[in-house]
Amino acid sequence: MAIASTYSTFPIRTSSSKVHESSVSSVRFCGPKSARLSRFATELGCSMFETKRVLKCAAKEGVNAFNSLSLKSSQEDDYVPMPVLLIDQDSDPEATIVQVSFGDRLGALIDTMKALKDLGLDVVKGTVTTQNNVKETKFYITKMDRKVDDPDLLERIRLTIINNLLKYHPESSEKLAMGEVFGIKPPERKIDVNVATHIHIKEDGPKRSLLYVETADRPGLLLEMVKIISDINIVVESAEIDTEGLVARDKFHVSYRGAALNPSLSQVLVNCLRFYLLRPETDDDSY
């Protein structure tokens, strides 16, 4: 009876094409049939740990186990995670936080940091955390040592990061609204604006109100909403922008003459925003 034993360290290649080191000790395969299965699984690109698991499955299910493994591997390679971009104005008193995640595929985002600096922004610090195989990168940015509160600049930040995502991770285009125009593959799923649009206003203290808007994402969305709000003499004190795939979820701290919005003005604002958001196309160029 032939016995093959392996004691080694070897690379495991993930769907993100990154190489991680993993060690396995005392992985043992016994018998000529197991040795052939080992070689076959190795040809499929499996790690030794996967090979051992496949051998157990093959013993119970036969050769179909290998077909299932190959299909599962192909499905994992085809899976595209949800891209998420959050511009947070509330969590830090001195900086605007830009948070980006795209499953486990994002690297150090050096090009994104450079693009932010090209906008005249200072990247004060950055952090990277991983939770449930999702890597979240945060940039703390300022403009002349202050938070970024200009809606035009906030929208440029958002579009810059999304453009970089489309450039360096073109597979993200099928998950982003701007993939329709700028991506290699447009989104297969379309958002029904009538169903996806939700607008709520609630009090946020005696001097301001909190406006929450959820709708289908589109280029220039933030600027258009700020323009509509300003046209009825409501002041936008700050904005938080959350882009999750095809959906935009934005929060605005707003006030009218130094006070929170009354019910009548709140209804006017909701009606104006809903009229704009539910139009199939905008007449003005929003870029």
Side-chain angles (χ1 to χ4, degrees):
M1 179 181 295
I3 297 177
S5 300
T6 303
Y7 303 83
S8 63
T9 300
F10 51 86
I12 299 176
R13 187 169 298 277
T14 65
S15 61
S16 59
S17 299
K18 298 176 182 177
V19 177
H20 305 278
E21 292 294 318
S22 176
S23 62
V24 173
S25 61
S26 188
V27 180
R28 187 178 298 272
F29 305 95
C30 302
K33 186 176 295 185
S34 295
R36 288 197 299 272
L37 289 174
S38 174
R39 288 195 298 272
F40 181 53
T42 302
E43 291 173 359
L44 289 176
C46 304
S47 67
M48 285 295 184
F49 178 79
E50 290 172 326
T51 305
K52 187 175 181 181
R53 176 172 58 84
V54 171
L55 289 173
K56 291 181 179 179
C57 293
K60 294 181 179 179
E61 302 179 19
V63 73
N64 287 336
F66 294 108
N67 295 331
S68 299
L69 173 68
S70 179
L71 177 60
K72 181 179 179 181
S73 176
S74 176
Q75 290 174 341
E76 289 175 351
D77 289 340
D78 293 339
Y79 170 73
V80 178
M82 180 67 70
V84 178
L85 167 61
L86 172 64
I87 300 180
D88 178 6
Q89 298 281 44
D90 295 331
S91 298
D92 191 284
E94 298 179 352
T96 297
I97 301 175
V98 178
Q99 178 178 313
V100 190
S101 65
F102 186 47
D104 63 349
R105 303 191 181 194
L106 293 183
L109 298 183
I110 302 299
D111 295 283
T112 297
M113 289 181 63
K114 183 181 181 301
L116 292 174
K117 291 182 178 180
D118 289 343
L119 293 176
L121 300 168
D122 296 317
V123 180
V124 180
K125 67 175 179 178
T127 64
V128 179
T129 59
T130 302
Q131 184 175 4
N132 297 327
N133 293 327
V134 176
K135 184 184 295 183
E136 294 182 349
T137 302
K138 290 183 181 180
F139 300 110
Y140 293 73
I141 60 175
T142 60
K143 176 76 171 180
M144 300 179 66
D145 298 326
R146 298 181 57 186
K147 280 189 174 190
V148 180
D149 53 11
D150 179 13
D152 179 62
L153 185 53
L154 289 172
E155 180 69 351
R156 288 169 64 192
I157 292 170
R158 187 178 80 95
L159 296 180
T160 295
I161 293 176
I162 292 177
N163 283 334
N164 267 24
L165 193 60
L166 290 170
K167 179 179 179 180
Y168 295 103
H169 294 277
E171 71 276 16
S172 66
S173 66
E174 64 182 272
K175 297 283 188 176
L176 290 165
M178 283 194 291
E180 186 77 41
V181 179
F182 303 109
I184 61 171
K185 183 179 180 181
E188 296 181 357
R189 185 171 68 93
K190 304 296 182 182
I191 295 292
D192 187 335
V193 179
N194 292 280
V195 175
T197 299
H198 305 280
I199 306 172
H200 305 288
I201 300 176
K202 65 178 183 179
E203 289 187 1
D204 188 29
K207 294 186 177 182
R208 65 180 189 179
S209 299
L210 179 63
L211 166 65
Y212 175 83
V213 181
E214 178 177 332
T215 190
D217 188 28
R218 66 183 82 168
L221 176 64
L222 176 65
L223 292 180
E224 291 293 340
M225 289 195 293
V226 170
K227 182 178 182 297
I228 291 170
I229 296 170
S230 301
D231 283 348
I232 53 178
N233 298 319
I234 294 175
V235 176
V236 178
E237 298 182 0
S238 65
E240 179 178 303
I241 307 162
D242 184 1
T243 305
E244 184 173 343
L246 305 176
V247 178
R249 298 181 178 92
D250 298 338
K251 295 179 182 178
F252 302 90
H253 294 290
V254 296
S255 63
Y256 178 72
R257 295 182 178 179
L261 276 57
N262 60 39
S264 298
L265 189 55
S266 294
Q267 189 60 54
V268 170
L269 177 56
V270 170
N271 291 344
C272 291
L273 287 172
R274 185 172 294 278
F275 174 77
Y276 160 70
L277 294 171
L278 296 185
R279 285 188 298 172
E281 294 182 358
T282 56
D283 298 328
D284 301 327
D285 186 1
S286 59
Y287 284 86

